[in-house]
Coordinates of all heavy atoms in Angstrom, one line a residue:
G1 N 0.8 -1.2 0.0 CA 0.0 0.0 0.0 C 0.8 1.3 0.0 O 0.4 2.3 -0.6
F2 N 2.0 1.2 0.6 CA 2.9 2.4 0.6 C 3.3 2.7 -0.8 O 3.3 3.8 -1.3 CB 4.1 2.1 1.5 CG 5.0 3.3 1.8 CD1 4.9 4.0 3.0 CD2 5.8 3.8 0.8 CE1 5.7 5.1 3.2 CE2 6.6 5.0 1.0 CZ 6.5 5.6 2.3
V3 N 3.7 1.6 -1.5 CA 4.2 1.8 -2.9 C 3.1 2.3 -3.8 O 3.3 3.1 -4.7 CB 4.8 0.5 -3.4 CG1 5.2 0.6 -4.9 CG2 6.1 0.1 -2.6
S4 N 1.9 1.7 -3.6 CA 0.8 2.2 -4.5 C 0.5 3.6 -4.3 O 0.2 4.3 -5.3 CB -0.5 1.3 -4.2 OG -0.9 1.3 -2.9
N5 N 0.5 4.1 -3.1 CA 0.2 5.5 -2.8 C 1.4 6.4 -3.4 O 1.1 7.4 -4.1 CB 0.1 5.8 -1.3 CG -1.4 5.8 -0.9 OD1 -2.3 6.0 -1.7 ND2 -1.6 5.5 0.4
E6 N 2.6 6.0 -3.0 CA 3.7 6.8 -3.5 C 3.8 6.9 -5.0 O 4.0 8.0 -5.6 CB 5.0 6.3 -2.9 CG 6.3 7.2 -3.1 CD 6.9 7.0 -4.5 OE1 6.8 5.9 -5.1 OE2 7.4 8.0 -5.0
A7 N 3.7 5.7 -5.7 CA 3.8 5.7 -7.1 C 2.6 6.3 -7.8 O 2.8 7.1 -8.8 CB 3.9 4.2 -7.5
A8 N 1.4 6.0 -7.4 CA 0.2 6.5 -8.1 C 0.1 8.0 -8.0 O -0.2 8.7 -8.9 CB -1.0 5.8 -7.6
I9 N 0.2 8.6 -6.7 CA 0.0 10.0 -6.5 C 1.0 10.8 -7.3 O 0.7 11.8 -8.0 CB 0.0 10.3 -5.0 CG1 -1.2 9.8 -4.3 CG2 0.1 11.8 -4.8 CD1 -1.2 9.9 -2.8
S10 N 2.3 10.4 -7.2 CA 3.4 11.1 -7.8 C 3.2 11.1 -9.3 O 3.4 12.1 -10.0 CB 4.8 10.6 -7.4 OG 4.9 9.2 -7.8
T11 N 2.8 9.9 -9.9 CA 2.7 9.8 -11.3 C 1.5 10.6 -11.9 O 1.6 11.3 -12.9 CB 2.6 8.3 -11.7 OG1 3.7 7.6 -11.3 CG2 2.4 8.2 -13.2
I12 N 0.4 10.5 -11.2 CA -0.8 11.2 -11.7 C -0.6 12.7 -11.7 O -0.9 13.4 -12.6 CB -2.0 10.8 -10.8 CG1 -2.4 9.4 -11.0 CG2 -3.2 11.8 -11.1 CD1 -3.4 8.8 -10.0
A13 N 0.0 13.2 -10.6 CA 0.3 14.6 -10.4 C 1.3 15.1 -11.5 O 1.1 16.2 -12.0 CB 0.8 14.9 -9.0
K14 N 2.3 14.3 -11.7 CA 3.3 14.7 -12.8 C 2.7 14.8 -14.1 O 3.1 15.7 -14.9 CB 4.5 13.7 -12.8 CG 5.4 13.8 -11.6 CD 6.5 12.7 -11.8 CE 7.5 12.8 -10.6 NZ 8.5 11.6 -10.7
L15 N 1.7 13.9 -14.5 CA 1.1 13.9 -15.8 C 0.1 15.0 -16.0 O -0.2 15.4 -17.1 CB 0.5 12.6 -16.0 CG 1.4 11.4 -16.2 CD1 0.6 10.1 -16.3 CD2 2.3 11.5 -17.5
L16 N -0.4 15.6 -14.9 CA -1.4 16.7 -15.0 C -0.6 18.0 -15.2 O 0.2 18.3 -14.3 CB -2.3 16.7 -13.7 CG -3.2 15.5 -13.5 CD1 -3.9 15.6 -12.2 CD2 -4.3 15.5 -14.7
P17 N -0.9 18.8 -16.2 CA -0.2 20.0 -16.4 C -0.4 21.0 -15.3 O -1.5 21.3 -14.9 CB -0.7 20.5 -17.8 CG -2.0 19.8 -17.9 CD -1.9 18.5 -17.2
D18 N 0.7 21.6 -14.8 CA 0.6 22.6 -13.7 C -0.3 22.2 -12.6 O -1.1 23.0 -12.1 CB 0.2 23.9 -14.3 CG 0.3 25.1 -13.3 OD1 1.2 25.1 -12.4 OD2 -0.5 26.0 -13.4
C19 N -0.1 20.9 -12.1 CA -1.0 20.4 -11.1 C -0.8 21.0 -9.8 O 0.4 21.2 -9.3 CB -0.8 18.9 -11.1 SG -1.9 18.0 -9.8
L20 N -1.8 21.2 -9.0 CA -1.8 21.6 -7.6 C -2.4 20.4 -6.8 O -3.5 20.0 -7.1 CB -2.6 22.8 -7.4 CG -2.9 23.2 -5.9 CD1 -1.6 23.5 -5.2 CD2 -3.9 24.3 -5.8
I21 N -1.6 19.9 -5.9 CA -2.1 18.8 -5.0 C -2.6 19.5 -3.7 O -2.0 20.3 -3.1 CB -1.0 17.8 -4.6 CG1 -0.6 17.0 -5.9 CG2 -1.5 16.8 -3.6 CD1 0.5 16.0 -5.6
L22 N -3.8 19.1 -3.3 CA -4.5 19.5 -2.1 C -4.5 18.3 -1.2 O -5.3 17.4 -1.4 CB -5.8 20.1 -2.3 CG -5.8 21.3 -3.3 CD1 -7.1 21.4 -4.1 CD2 -5.5 22.6 -2.5
S23 N -3.8 18.3 -0.1 CA -3.6 17.1 0.8 C -4.1 17.4 2.2 O -3.7 18.4 2.8 CB -2.1 16.8 0.8 OG -1.8 15.7 1.6
D24 N -4.8 16.4 2.7 CA -5.3 16.5 4.1 C -4.1 16.5 5.1 O -3.1 15.8 4.8 CB -6.2 15.3 4.4 CG -6.9 15.5 5.8 OD1 -6.2 15.2 6.8 OD2 -8.1 15.8 5.9
A25 N -4.2 17.3 6.1 CA -3.0 17.4 7.0 C -2.6 16.2 7.7 O -1.5 16.0 8.2 CB -3.4 18.5 8.1
L26 N -3.5 15.2 7.9 CA -3.2 14.0 8.6 C -3.1 12.8 7.6 O -3.3 11.6 8.0 CB -4.3 13.7 9.6 CG -4.3 14.7 10.8 CD1 -5.2 14.1 11.9 CD2 -2.9 14.9 11.4
N27 N -2.8 13.0 6.4 CA -2.6 11.9 5.4 C -1.4 11.1 5.8 O -0.5 11.6 6.5 CB -2.4 12.5 4.0 CG -3.7 12.8 3.3 OD1 -4.7 12.3 3.6 ND2 -3.6 13.6 2.2
H28 N -1.5 9.8 5.5 CA -0.5 8.8 5.8 C 0.9 9.2 5.1 O 0.9 9.9 4.1 CB -0.9 7.4 5.3 CG 0.0 6.3 5.7 ND1 1.0 5.8 4.9 CD2 0.1 5.7 6.9 CE1 1.6 4.9 5.6 NE2 1.1 4.7 6.8

């Protein structure tokens, strides 16, 4: 699960042009 989060979030955000990530303060 650690790898799926790290890999998926980083990849999706990189592919989105000029992406802004909005992250909950207590995310894992």
Side-chain angles (χ1 to χ4, degrees):
F2 191 104
V3 175
S4 58
N5 268 336
E6 190 280 328
I9 292 171
S10 62
T11 301
I12 291 168
K14 284 178 182 177
L15 290 173
L16 293 173
D18 189 30
C19 180
L20 169 65
I21 295 180
L22 300 150
S23 178
D24 188 284
L26 294 188
N27 277 340
H28 188 262

